[in-house]
Amino acid sequence: MGFLDIRDVTKFYGQTEVLHRINISIEEDEFLVLVGPSGCGKSTLLNMIAGLESITSGEVSIRGRVINGVHPSQRNIAMVFQSYALYPNMTVGKNITFGLEMHGVSRHEREEALLDVAKLLQIDHLLDRKPGQLSGGQRQRVAMGRALVRKPDVFLFDEPLSNLDAKLRVDMRTEIKKLHEKLKTTIVYVTHDQIEAMTLSTRIAVLEQGHIQQLGTPQEIYNTPANVFVGRFMGSPAMNVIPARVAVQEGVPFACVTDSGDGEQLLRFSQANLAGWDGREILLGIRPEAITDPEGADRGSTNVVSLRNRIGVTEPAGSDTFVTMTLGGIDVTARMRADVNVCRGDTVDLAFNMDKAVAFDPETEKRIES
Amino acid sequence: MADVARAADFRTRLQQWIPKLVLSPSLAAILFFVYGFIFFTVYLSFTGSKMLPRYDWIGIENYVRLWGLSHWWTAITNLGIFASLYIIFCTLIGLALAIFLDQKIRGEGMLRPIYLYPMALSFIVTGTAWKWFLDPGIGLEQTMHLWGWESFEFGWIKDRDMAIYTVVIAAVWQTSGFVMAMFLAGLRGIDNELLKAAQIDGASNWNLYRRIVIPLLRPAFLSAFVILAHLAVKSYDLVIALTGGGPGRATELPATFMYSYTFTRNSMGIGASSAVIMLMTIAAIMVPYLYSELRERK
Amino acid sequence: MGSAAQDTAVHTGRVARTFIYLVLLLFALFYLLPFLVMLINSVKPLSEITSGNMLALPAVWTIEPWLSAWSTAQIGVEPTGLKPYFVNSLLMVVPAVAISTILGALNGYVLTKWRFRGDGILFGLMLFSCFIPFQIVLIPMARTLGILGMAGSTPGLVLVHVVYGLGFTTLFFRNYYAAFPTELVRAAMIDGAGFFKIFWRIMLPVSGPIMVVSIIWQFTNIWNDFLFGASFADLDSMPMTVALNNLVNSSTGVKEYNVHFAGAIIAALPTLVVYVVAGRYFVRGLMAGSVKG
């Protein structure tokens, strides 16, 4: 049994099932990110943990205590909202200590707790201001302060960075990560931003249409996505999913793909068990950074396959150059080094790091286990 | 599902009940004093009540008698004249003033309250002022005569055929500023970039307003119409103070008709049936409007 | 309503602008004239009104009509002036406004932040009640007030005005609170605040603008009401508007126009003062979407 357990939890709005039998067990000090496109049910799940939405069936427990039906304020949780939800009529200090006041904590203790938190978040100089006078980043800190001061069992974050501009978002991301490492708190964090999910979490749950698509560490999710959806959703630019056919030569499986000139090219798989798929169609999943110019190929890889193809649009992005080409009848993105000298229409050698490639069953879209 | 609901702690269950408890007195009051009373009045309109309510069911006799009364026909005709002119003039004046005020007018801050203040007055006060202002013996007509315009005549308020128009004048005076404010708010809500785009497209001011601005004010037109129409049907105080329904019955409206039949002529059944017809008139306007407004918000 | 400084894209020529100013000023005159004339003539002796020019300034200035209207004029049969009725109106208006505003605020809070199945229909029922012609409730209301023992009393009138004002105050607060972020209420719930704590500590402190709208609206409507006053009040509870109408339309004796005007202005004064002091907030708040359902 974990620290925070979500067992067989479902949610219905009328007849519509928006969450299907969710099971997640979260350990103490873990940073779990719920990620998915909008409408996938991630915020609903968070609100159910908070007690802001009722649980249709199943159980949620914290420290072994079932909290279904327990009032939000009695669950020993704290929440940071997307809009920060700072009380506009109260000063920063009052905002932070309001929860303590509601729980009957004495003024003296409140003051002390406030000063601790304010120092931790470096907002001591803002305590007498109203939220309206704060910048976005400062509001974000106050919202976190309000959560921290309660010393809750579990912190819930509902897309806390989505209202910040790009630069600040990256800074605050780092800050949240530092805070977690320093305070060793249990966090459930909802976002639609897969980079946030990758950078912050110790584990990720990818949700779509009310189902958990995959639950695992960021590396597991990124390297061995459970299905096409997870592969495409995590990572930017998205994973290439190329229609291919398995061809076995001397017991070794190859992916057979059509190139831009309608010729067939072979890419040797690193996974030997794919030999069982001989002659069948599959989907070849390969991330842009696994398709490079030959000089940029990963030297640690055991299986780099070279392939000649004509390239289309090139997009220099500063640190890399993204190159688009046609492969298997679809647009495929490759990630080359910044100073690579290629032009539209050139036919060039490409290096495929097949160690990083995965294969999906086109019927179920699930990854074929190796 | 039931298990989970039973597991809810006392505080959570209490918090689910308090809102409903808080709402219930208001709700009970509205149900009783509004809908209960409407039901009661509708019922009375089918009884032979005279001075006091009686509960003998006489069917639609009251309605038959009502529609046979020339007095009622006068009231209905007057309402038709009054309501249409009142709505048209308030809208035209309100719209014109709002468009003019929206042209970066110096002194807008002074003018706006001048246009609006009549709204703060009681119809009784408005009636008192206009009654005398329009009185040929001492008001406007007399003043014109004293200024040497001997042939000036403005005796509408004493004229059976024209008196209803004086009610229109006073009512427009009172409400048109409010309509102006509604349109002005609508105008200020229009995106300026849209107007700039239209000008770049070469629209003249006239076309700009006719083709772009006025169509965009549709919601304001609708709100103004609904508010004015329901005020027109409810008009009572102004007629009482301005003309008292006279001369003769020349300015009777359904509201004054209902009052006099119910409370002074001891024909409560007929009074009730006239009230039901007033309610139905307003409901025909308000219900579709409120329905669509509440729909949109969801 | 924003300030006049807003950048308008429309440009008008010189002739058009002159015309616009002319029309605007003419209408200003139209709106001001009846009231100004009333004011001027309320400080004239009666003889100057009946024989003279209504637009002329008084030859003899007198405050006699004001004093008479206030304390000695004949209202009905009693020479009491308007003073007791002014007091009646105040005694009726203050509790009615306070109660209907508080209830409206609570209703609006429930209907937006504690929603439940069917709340939309309940709100629709309340909203429609704003617009009914009050003739439809006159007969049963008279009966009910009698049964409750409140006939002809100020508490009875307070009840009437609270009931028929509730729809509007609920509408105002509901629309205002609908724009208020629900996340704040959720945050306060997690912080441990209950229904009333949230209302008191979170919602009410930011309700200033809509309070002003509700109070002004209710104050003007109730102060200016004539129908309910005429139907349900007796001599001890008769409000200002009814008394004024009795003063002006009494058929006995000489028509003392100057006293009538003074009385009319006295009757209009409280709402005018409220309007002058807080009118801009009223219009601003009202136009922020509250006139619409």
Side-chain angles (χ1 to χ4, degrees), chain C residues 222-244:
Chain C
I222 300 174
W223 183 274
N224 289 339
D225 161 73
F226 177 76
L227 182 63
F228 288 140
S231 309
F232 304 134
D234 63 17
L235 207 56
D236 298 329
S237 59
M238 189 190 286
M240 195 62 185
T241 45
V242 182
L244 174 67

Side-chain angles (χ1 to χ4, degrees), chain A residues 47 50 52-53 71-73 77-79 81-90 98-99 101-103 146 150, chain C residues 114 117 180-195 197-198 200-206:
Chain A
N47 283 335
L52 298 171
E53 300 218 28
H71 192 264
S73 65
I77 47 133
M79 190 156 172
F81 292 88
Q82 184 172 13
S83 65
Y84 318 134
L86 300 180
Y87 311 125
N89 54 309
M90 299 183 197
F98 184 72
E101 188 192 332
M102 292 296 113
H103 282 83
R146 184 169 66 184
R150 299 263 312 275
Chain C
W114 299 84
R117 195 185 290 263
F180 187 83
T182 302
E183 280 196 348
L184 276 168
V185 175
R186 296 184 150 197
M189 264 172 85
I190 291 178
D191 272 344
F195 179 88
K197 273 259 167 59
I198 295 175
W200 188 249
R201 298 282 301 270
I202 314 288
M203 308 295 284
L204 265 193
V206 296

Side-chain angles (χ1 to χ4, degrees), chain B residues 188-204:
Chain B
R188 297 277 151 90
I190 293 176
D191 186 359
N192 250 329
E193 291 194 351
L194 202 65
L195 304 186
K196 286 178 183 156
Q199 284 188 319
I200 290 167
D201 282 342
S204 63

Side-chain angles (χ1 to χ4, degrees), chain B residues 71 74 78 157-160 163 243-252 265:
Chain B
H71 191 159
T74 312
N78 278 340
I157 200 163
K158 304 276 186 202
D159 182 336
R160 278 174 172 278
T243 64
R249 291 173 186 168
T251 52
E252 287 278 5
R265 290 168 178 246

